[in-house]
Amino acid sequence: LTFTMSLVMGTSITISSNHWILAWTGLEINTLAIIPLISKSHHPRAIEATIKYFLTQSAASALILFSSLTNAWSTGQWDITQLNHPTSCLMLTTAIAIKLGLVPFHFWFPEVLQGSSMITALLLSTLMKLPPITLLLITSQSLNPSLLTLLAISSALIGGWMGLNQTQTRKILAFSSISHLGWMIIIMTYNPHLTLLTFILYTVMTTAVFLSLNQIKVLKLSTMLISWTKTPMLNATMMLTLLSLAGLPPLTGFMPKWFIIQELTKQEMTPTATIITMLSLLGLFFYLRLAYHSTITLPPNSSNHMKLWRTNKAPNTPTAILSALSTSLLPMSPLIITMF
């Protein structure tokens, strides 16, 4: 309870602050609160993941502090919106890229997720991304659009490409997160509200997938093959959520991609839009593979237990609500784009 409250408090401090030191304090509270949650199982891999996470986040926090100090030294301002010094902008972009796990600073992220439990991995993929993205949103007008576009396209490429060969579900979702971050970052300087919308929808879809995987206790693809006989309905909804995460049309996940491509075309960045759209096909391949393993392909060997159509477990309401939202929000696109 203490660590969860600290996570919420750290996030709240960062997203509501105007002063660099306050924002930095919130990020530090967040880092210190999540570390015990990663190392909770005391498994050697969990301890290794904790150390990797601590070292990378410490380096990123030091860079953020250094960036804000340099900016304050040259402009006399500690206000987050007054980031005018070019070196400070570059250092801040690098620090946030390390914190988010953007390419080329992504190496820690799949390893840390692999060493964490499903729920901690969910927190690392969603809640822990909110404060750095908020800092990017606030300073988006000062940042270099070409650098952000380069980071975004690299993330979409590496996130899709590295996910192709994975057999562990947490690592696949880590690379999925990296490629989605590419979509968020590419539109940051042109339409920050669209980045926020993409992050919210990504959080809804990823939470639905993580909660489903946690409920059926699936850590690798081979286990996923035999999960269909235990929870057929949950697997069927998870397949739809995965396809939504891939961005296929009648589902929610298509909406942010559609708006981002539209905005990039308005900004006369059609080649960039074409490249990032082509790169999303790499992600589509491993989502389809996950969908196949969850529902479409039955295992070659027959399982010994009967189908449990009526399980004794209580229905998981959050998973049901999030899965519904992950698949059915596309018709509400006009309303959502008006809100954002």
Side-chain angles (χ1 to χ4, degrees), residues 246-265:
L248 286 183
L251 304 166
T252 305
F254 177 63
M255 193 199 311
K257 287 186 165 63
W258 168 30
F259 290 152
I260 288 170
I261 292 167
Q262 193 178 354
E263 184 66 31
L264 286 172
T265 314

Side-chain angles (χ1 to χ4, degrees), residues 27-102:
L27 289 170
E28 285 300 293
I29 292 171
N30 254 4
T31 304
L32 293 173
I34 197 82
I35 279 172
L37 296 178
I38 301 173
S39 62
K40 196 171 71 168
S41 66
H42 298 298
H43 190 276
R45 182 167 277 166
I47 303 301
E48 182 190 338
T50 310
I51 292 168
K52 283 177 179 171
Y53 184 77
F54 176 70
L55 292 175
T56 49
Q57 297 300 309
S58 305
S61 292
L63 263 178
I64 287 176
L65 205 53
F66 191 33
S67 158
S68 54
L69 274 168
T70 312
N71 190 61
W73 184 265
S74 64
T75 63
Q77 285 285 342
W78 281 101
D79 197 319
I80 295 181
T81 52
Q82 305 295 321
L83 188 71
N84 301 320
H85 196 263
T87 315
S88 294
C89 292
L90 184 63
M91 281 194 292
L92 180 78
T93 310
T94 310
I96 300 288
I98 296 172
K99 275 206 168 288
L100 289 173
L102 281 169

Side-chain angles (χ1 to χ4, degrees), residues 137-192:
L137 285 170
I138 297 170
T139 57
S140 59
Q141 300 311 313
S142 315
L143 304 177
N144 184 345
S146 308
L147 178 61
L148 287 179
T149 305
L150 181 65
L151 287 174
I153 288 180
S154 312
S155 298
L157 171 65
I158 300 294
W161 194 12
M162 301 271 286
L164 294 177
N165 206 21
Q166 302 298 330
T167 55
Q168 302 284 336
T169 50
R170 281 168 297 184
K171 275 198 174 176
I172 291 175
L173 287 168
F175 286 115
S176 142
S177 177
I178 292 167
S179 93
H180 273 87
L181 280 169
W183 281 87
M184 293 174 213
I185 298 300
I186 201 161
I187 204 70
M188 181 75 76
T189 44
Y190 308 108
N191 192 340

